[in-house]
Amino acid sequence: MKQILTIGRYFKSKYKQRVRKIPISLDGFTCPNIDGVVAKGGCTYCKNETFSPSLALLEQSDITMNLTLEKNPILDKQIETLKSQFYNQSSFHKDKFATNKYMIYFQSYSNTYAPYDTLKTLYDEALKLPNVVGLSIGTRTDCVEDSILELLSKYVKNNKDIWLEYGIQSVFNSTLRLINRGHGIEGARELVEKTRKLGIKVCIHLIYGLPKEDSNMMLESLKEVLSWGIDGIKIHPLYIVEGTAMQKMYEAGKYSPISLEDYTNLVVESLKLIPHNVVVQRISAGAHDDSLIAPKWCFDKNIQMCYIRDKLLQNGIVY
Ligand code: SF4
């Protein structure tokens, strides 16, 4: 049997106890692929409120972050939100699962897309929260300044567990253009290498089932990012939610979602390829509400995971 290094097992072996990632969504954060700096409209499947339910509960102001914003008038509010989301979620996990250590996961939008002072303040505040062992920061490869990498490397030197989660999705530029990703694959490997040289761990996000991709292309993307020497990976199926460009493509009959069987077979093949030291942080995804258009098997992540786990076991893989 091959036992996969899940995020739970990684934390258990490193900290000898349960550690919980606490997802954080902050008002004012956006993405250069949405605000027009790179493109407008975002990736064709993007709807951050569905990806991060806590974002839907936020009261949004008119101020949005970018790399050149001179003053951030909502910084105090962002700090308050960070703290309240942390305390709400950590107390739940402490009471229910006796969890006592946490990693802050800046999840929604692009979390390195803000002025240096704002990012430093928020990261510093996050690391000061009780029993926080580190940060995991979700972002794009085209908005990570060297100054931020240097800042994160200082946290690493102070024994913090620091991860950057880069959304790659596919290594094929034809696909990236089709989904309006707003960047190509050029430079991604170099950025990953530069990040890792500073002691910052890298988790790559891939999506299976993107338009016009076949199984070979999806596995090619996986093999390519593995060749970069990454520390972690998240794989999830493409699902379509209401109000996205993908919905129009799907309803016009120009896109067929991946089936659960095909997705599961790909996950089995993928986990066979992933080395023992790479942390597999996710292999499923979905939207458990009315916003889900297709595929319907992405509605219930528990049923999805039962099916996938069972198939993995039949192939000698323990997830
Ligand atoms: S990079 Fe992320 S936040 Fe930005 S448009 Fe794409 S999916 Fe949305």
Side-chain angles (χ1 to χ4, degrees):
M1 284 276 179
K2 176 179 181 182
Q3 189 179 64
I4 299 301
L5 182 60
T6 58
I7 188 71
R9 291 191 185 109
Y10 164 80
F11 282 140
K12 202 75 191 265
S13 97
K14 184 161 182 170
Y15 298 100
K16 311 297 172 220
Q17 60 179 290
R18 195 193 285 265
V19 179
R20 181 79 196 184
K21 271 175 95 167
I22 303 284
I24 299 291
S25 299
L26 297 179
D27 178 24
F29 273 77
T30 183
C31 167
N33 201 26
I34 291 177
D35 69 4
V37 166
V38 169
K40 270 209 181 294
C43 304
T44 55
Y45 50 81
C46 177
K47 193 165 181 192
N48 274 272
E49 293 78 1
T50 308
F51 304 157
S52 331
S54 56
L55 185 66
L57 304 173
L58 275 185
E59 197 188 310
Q60 297 284 349
S61 63
D62 294 337
I63 308 290
T64 51
M65 302 294 106
N66 59 53
L67 295 179
T68 54
L69 187 74
E70 285 191 358
K71 218 170 170 349
N72 176 4
I74 58 170
L75 184 56
D76 287 345
K77 189 178 164 217
Q78 288 171 325
I79 295 169
E80 278 314 302
T81 306
L82 163 67
K83 288 182 179 170
S84 84
Q85 289 182 7
F86 170 77
Y87 284 113
N88 282 342
Q89 295 182 74
S90 60
S91 64
F92 170 80
H93 288 289
K94 187 171 182 158
D95 294 347
K96 190 147 189 205
F97 305 108
T99 309
N100 203 29
K101 287 208 182 293
Y102 309 96
M103 175 173 279
I104 300 286
Y105 175 28
F106 289 100
Q107 182 182 28
S108 303
Y109 295 107
S110 301
N111 293 283
T112 54
Y113 189 56
Y116 177 88
D117 290 347
T118 291
L119 295 174
K120 182 176 184 316
T121 304
L122 291 171
Y123 299 160
D124 284 351
E125 289 290 337
L127 288 169
K128 276 192 265 172
L129 291 166
N131 300 316
V132 166
V133 298
L135 307 176
S136 200
I137 301 163
T139 193
R140 293 162 57 89
T141 51
D142 61 357
C143 58
V144 188
E145 304 275 283
D146 283 352
S147 56
I148 288 302
L149 291 178
E150 280 155 27
L151 172 67
L152 297 179
S153 81
K154 284 186 191 147
Y155 299 141
V156 172
K157 285 184 192 127
N158 285 332
N159 290 323
K160 297 297 180 187
D161 199 349
I162 305 294
W163 290 73
L164 271 168
E165 300 196 22
Y166 290 134
I168 295 290
Q169 320 312 358
S170 166
V171 301
F172 293 94
N173 279 342
S174 54
T175 306
L176 298 177
R177 272 194 296 275
L178 205 54
I179 60 171
N180 193 40
R181 183 74 199 163
H183 64 64
I185 197 62
E186 299 78 14
R189 173 195 279 267
E190 291 73 18
L191 177 65
V192 167
E193 287 169 358
K194 185 156 83 172
T195 306
R196 294 190 73 245
K197 266 195 195 134
L198 293 166
I200 303 157
K201 297 190 183 75
V202 170
C203 176
I204 293 294
H205 294 201
L206 290 181
I207 299 178
Y208 287 174
L210 288 168
K212 307 235 183 292
E213 288 217 340
D214 60 23
S215 307
N216 288 334
M217 292 170 82
M218 298 173 217
L219 290 175
E220 271 313 303
S221 285
L222 174 69
K223 287 178 198 160
E224 173 63 23
V225 300
L226 288 175
S227 78
W228 302 347
I230 59 177
D231 305 279
I233 191 151
K234 287 184 177 177
I235 300 172
H236 76 73
L238 180 63
Y239 58 91
I240 302 166
V241 290
E242 209 166 38
T244 58
M246 276 308 299
Q247 181 186 5
K248 289 190 189 131
M249 198 174 171
Y250 172 70
E251 288 173 353
K254 292 182 180 156
Y255 171 73
S256 300
I258 193 166
S259 69
L260 176 58
E261 293 73 20
D262 288 350
Y263 179 74
T264 303
N265 289 338
L266 274 162
V267 169
V268 169
E269 291 314 305
S270 300
L271 295 196
K272 285 180 188 166
L273 293 169
I274 294 173
H276 283 96
N277 60 335
V278 172
V279 185
V280 181
Q281 299 209 24
R282 186 174 71 198
I283 53 171
S284 69
H288 190 66
D289 59 38
D290 292 346
S291 68
L292 180 70
I293 305 288
K296 291 300 179 198
W297 60 268
C298 282
F299 184 75
D300 191 322
K301 275 192 269 180
N302 289 333
I303 294 178
Q304 192 185 124
M305 272 315 294
C306 279
Y307 183 87
I308 295 172
R309 260 184 225 282
D310 200 42
K311 273 279 153 52
L312 287 170
L313 275 177
Q314 289 169 29
N315 283 273
I317 299 168
V318 181
Y319 183 76

